[in-house]
Amino acid sequence: GNSVTQMEGPVTLSEEAFLTINCTYTATGYPSLFWYVQYPGEGLQLLLKATKADDKGSNKGFEATYRKETTSFHLEKGSVQVSDSAVYFCALRGRAGYALNFGKGTSLLVTP
Amino acid sequence: EAQVTQNPRYLITVTGKKLTVTCSQNMNHEYMSWYRQDPGLGLRQIYYSMNVEVTDKGDVPEGYKVSRKEKRNFPLILESPSPNQTSLYFCASRGTGIGNYGYTFGSGTRLTVV
């Protein structure tokens, strides 16, 4: 079945540091890939997505590239801010269905 | 404003007392789903619905029921809650047309069963 594995946190960075959160997946066919962000006390918000191999999703300075050869969708940001502190979830949706399969989430704390 | 509305936001209840968490969306989405979020486990799907009167089990359906009598509403029912159902619950919806990739999530319901 489909599954997502992402690096465990918490990740603590200083403001303006470079961020990478690793995400790899297992799926049949060609899934769509997503990063969701959950700010404290809130629901999940779509951060970015990619629907086919080599697509790059980007939003708010975050980027992730759909790498089919390595089955990965790593999240990156060149310079994090305190306001980026949140939990980040990698997810996939198989072509045949509508359910999202989530990773376990990575907590990010950015300190001033 | 397009949104998914869950109620209540917080609920403390006792073991065995039936409860319902409501979910409503105003985007005319066909697909709706319930997830629970637990530390170290991420989000796991409980039930989903492809359209009115069409529901199916997700990964962790035991102890839950759902119904979809109207397109906009998808309530989650716990007939006899137990402490292991203490969790943070999210409802989500999505359109099924071409290009509809995004899921909209509610703000969550934090349930404590004592």
Side-chain angles (χ1 to χ4, degrees):
Chain A
N2 297 338
S3 66
V4 175
T5 302
Q6 62 182 104
M7 61 186 288
E8 293 191 19
V11 174
T12 303
L13 295 173
S14 299
E15 202 165 25
E16 299 183 2
F18 184 85
L19 168 71
T20 300
I21 300 178
N22 290 336
C23 172
T24 57
Y25 68 89
T26 301
T28 53
Y30 301 90
S32 295
L33 301 173
F34 306 84
W35 277 100
Y36 280 83
V37 59
Q38 184 180 30
Y39 298 103
E42 298 184 13
L44 278 75
Q45 301 175 24
L46 179 64
L47 181 60
L48 53 84
K49 69 179 188 296
T51 58
K52 62 182 187 294
D54 300 324
D55 266 2
K56 176 185 282 188
S58 61
N59 186 24
K60 300 181 181 179
F62 291 89
E63 293 183 340
T65 301
Y66 189 143
R67 301 284 188 203
K68 187 161 180 63
E69 64 276 14
T70 55
T71 62
S72 64
F73 193 54
H74 305 320
L75 182 68
E76 297 182 335
K77 186 174 185 181
S79 176
V80 293
Q81 306 300 310
V82 172
S83 58
D84 293 326
S85 298
V87 180
Y88 293 82
F89 291 92
C90 185
L92 72 81
R93 180 179 69 83
R95 287 296 181 201
Y98 293 94
L100 284 173
N101 295 98
F102 285 91
K104 294 182 179 180
T106 302
S107 175
L108 170 66
L109 175 63
V110 181
T111 58
Chain B
E1 181 188 352
Q3 61 186 356
V4 174
T5 303
Q6 293 178 231
N7 281 296
R9 288 293 306 274
Y10 302 91
L11 178 61
I12 302 175
T13 190
V14 296
T15 298
K17 185 176 181 181
K18 180 179 178 180
L19 67 91
T20 299
V21 183
T22 64
C23 174
S24 180
Q25 50 93 4
N26 62 359
M27 296 162 282
N28 201 37
H29 283 169
E30 292 83 6
Y31 179 85
M32 298 185 74
S33 180
W34 276 102
Y35 290 87
R36 61 177 288 174
Q37 182 181 7
D38 301 290
L41 297 176
L43 282 87
R44 296 176 292 169
Q45 191 180 49
I46 303 170
Y47 268 94
Y48 65 95
S49 170
M50 295 296 295
N51 214 324
V52 176
E53 302 292 1
V54 181
T55 64
D56 207 348
K57 297 176 181 178
D59 297 321
V60 288
E62 294 78 18
Y64 304 95
K65 286 176 57 177
V66 293
S67 68
R68 188 90 181 273
K69 293 181 169 50
E70 305 165 283
K71 196 171 187 179
R72 64 183 292 125
N73 296 324
F74 190 45
L76 180 68
I77 303 157
L78 284 73
E79 294 271 3
S80 182
S82 62
N84 64 13
Q85 293 178 297
T86 292
S87 187
L88 179 58
Y89 292 86
F90 288 102
C91 181
S93 74
R94 177 184 179 273
T96 55
I98 293 173
N100 267 299
Y101 296 106
Y103 294 74
T104 303
F105 281 81
S107 298
T109 296
R110 185 167 292 281
L111 172 66
T112 302
V113 183
V114 298

